[in-house]
PDB file of all heavy atoms in Angstrom:
ATOM      1  N   ILE A 227      -2.119   5.387  -4.530  1.00 98.00           N
ATOM      2  CA  ILE A 227      -2.166   5.432  -5.984  1.00 98.00           C
ATOM      3  C   ILE A 227      -0.769   5.545  -6.574  1.00 98.00           C
ATOM      4  O   ILE A 227       0.100   5.994  -5.970  1.00 98.00           O
ATOM      5  CB  ILE A 227      -3.059   6.620  -6.454  1.00 98.00           C
ATOM      6  CG1 ILE A 227      -2.548   7.940  -6.065  1.00 98.00           C
ATOM      7  CG2 ILE A 227      -4.544   6.444  -6.083  1.00 98.00           C
ATOM      8  CD1 ILE A 227      -3.251   9.203  -6.582  1.00 98.00           C
ATOM      9  N   HIS A 261      -1.911   8.389  -0.239  1.00 98.00           N
ATOM     10  CA  HIS A 261      -0.483   7.927  -0.302  1.00 98.00           C
ATOM     11  C   HIS A 261      -0.086   7.841  -1.821  1.00 98.00           C
ATOM     12  O   HIS A 261      -0.731   7.054  -2.530  1.00 98.00           O
ATOM     13  CB  HIS A 261      -0.379   6.552   0.366  1.00 98.00           C
ATOM     14  CG  HIS A 261       0.977   5.976   0.371  1.00 98.00           C
ATOM     15  ND1 HIS A 261       1.295   4.783   1.024  1.00 98.00           N
ATOM     16  CD2 HIS A 261       2.204   6.445  -0.044  1.00 98.00           C
ATOM     17  CE1 HIS A 261       2.550   4.526   0.945  1.00 98.00           C
ATOM     18  NE2 HIS A 261       3.168   5.578   0.293  1.00 98.00           N
ATOM     19  N   VAL A 262       0.873   8.648  -2.161  1.00 96.00           N
ATOM     20  CA  VAL A 262       1.191   8.689  -3.583  1.00 96.00           C
ATOM     21  C   VAL A 262       2.559   8.060  -3.827  1.00 96.00           C
ATOM     22  O   VAL A 262       3.577   8.383  -3.206  1.00 96.00           O
ATOM     23  CB  VAL A 262       1.211  10.196  -4.014  1.00 96.00           C
ATOM     24  CG1 VAL A 262       1.954  10.342  -5.280  1.00 96.00           C
ATOM     25  CG2 VAL A 262      -0.240  10.730  -4.053  1.00 96.00           C
ATOM     26  N   LEU A 263       2.610   7.120  -4.750  1.00 94.00           N
ATOM     27  CA  LEU A 263       3.909   6.606  -5.161  1.00 94.00           C
ATOM     28  C   LEU A 263       4.224   7.505  -6.407  1.00 94.00           C
ATOM     29  O   LEU A 263       3.460   7.593  -7.379  1.00 94.00           O
ATOM     30  CB  LEU A 263       3.693   5.182  -5.636  1.00 94.00           C
ATOM     31  CG  LEU A 263       4.964   4.320  -5.658  1.00 94.00           C
ATOM     32  CD1 LEU A 263       4.589   2.814  -5.466  1.00 94.00           C
ATOM     33  CD2 LEU A 263       5.709   4.491  -6.877  1.00 94.00           C
ATOM     34  N   ASP A 264       5.315   8.220  -6.310  1.00 90.00           N
ATOM     35  CA  ASP A 264       5.682   9.180  -7.338  1.00 90.00           C
ATOM     36  C   ASP A 264       6.060   8.476  -8.628  1.00 90.00           C
ATOM     37  O   ASP A 264       7.210   8.152  -8.874  1.00 90.00           O
ATOM     38  CB  ASP A 264       6.770  10.101  -6.875  1.00 90.00           C
ATOM     39  CG  ASP A 264       7.097  11.162  -7.943  1.00 90.00           C
ATOM     40  OD1 ASP A 264       6.359  11.156  -9.044  1.00 90.00           O
ATOM     41  OD2 ASP A 264       7.951  11.957  -7.776  1.00 90.00           O
ATOM     42  N   VAL A 273       2.223  13.822 -10.063  1.00 95.00           N
ATOM     43  CA  VAL A 273       1.221  13.419  -9.107  1.00 95.00           C
ATOM     44  C   VAL A 273       1.327  14.115  -7.789  1.00 95.00           C
ATOM     45  O   VAL A 273       0.341  14.414  -7.190  1.00 95.00           O
ATOM     46  CB  VAL A 273       1.304  11.865  -8.961  1.00 95.00           C
ATOM     47  CG1 VAL A 273       2.680  11.367  -8.479  1.00 95.00           C
ATOM     48  CG2 VAL A 273       0.137  11.357  -8.038  1.00 95.00           C
ATOM     49  N   MET A 286       0.890  11.691   1.887  1.00 97.00           N
ATOM     50  CA  MET A 286       2.109  10.849   2.129  1.00 97.00           C
ATOM     51  C   MET A 286       2.736  10.489   0.783  1.00 97.00           C
ATOM     52  O   MET A 286       2.017  10.067  -0.141  1.00 97.00           O
ATOM     53  CB  MET A 286       1.681   9.622   2.862  1.00 97.00           C
ATOM     54  CG  MET A 286       2.813   8.630   3.078  1.00 97.00           C
ATOM     55  SD  MET A 286       2.521   7.635   4.630  1.00 97.00           S
ATOM     56  CE  MET A 286       1.364   6.451   4.101  1.00 97.00           C
ATOM     57  N   GLY A 287       4.029  10.671   0.686  1.00 94.00           N
ATOM     58  CA  GLY A 287       4.738  10.457  -0.536  1.00 94.00           C
ATOM     59  C   GLY A 287       5.697   9.332  -0.397  1.00 94.00           C
ATOM     60  O   GLY A 287       6.379   9.239   0.618  1.00 94.00           O
ATOM     61  N   ASN A 288       5.830   8.603  -1.438  1.00 92.00           N
ATOM     62  CA  ASN A 288       6.884   7.592  -1.550  1.00 92.00           C
ATOM     63  C   ASN A 288       7.564   7.848  -2.894  1.00 92.00           C
ATOM     64  O   ASN A 288       6.883   7.787  -3.897  1.00 92.00           O
ATOM     65  CB  ASN A 288       6.278   6.162  -1.498  1.00 92.00           C
ATOM     66  CG  ASN A 288       7.295   5.026  -1.680  1.00 92.00           C
ATOM     67  OD1 ASN A 288       7.072   4.189  -2.589  1.00 92.00           O
ATOM     68  ND2 ASN A 288       8.306   4.999  -0.854  1.00 92.00           N
TER      69      ASN A 288
END
Side-chain angles (χ1 to χ4, degrees):
I227 58 172
H261 185 178
V262 163
L263 202 157
D264 182 4
V273 62
M286 175 150 78
N288 174 235

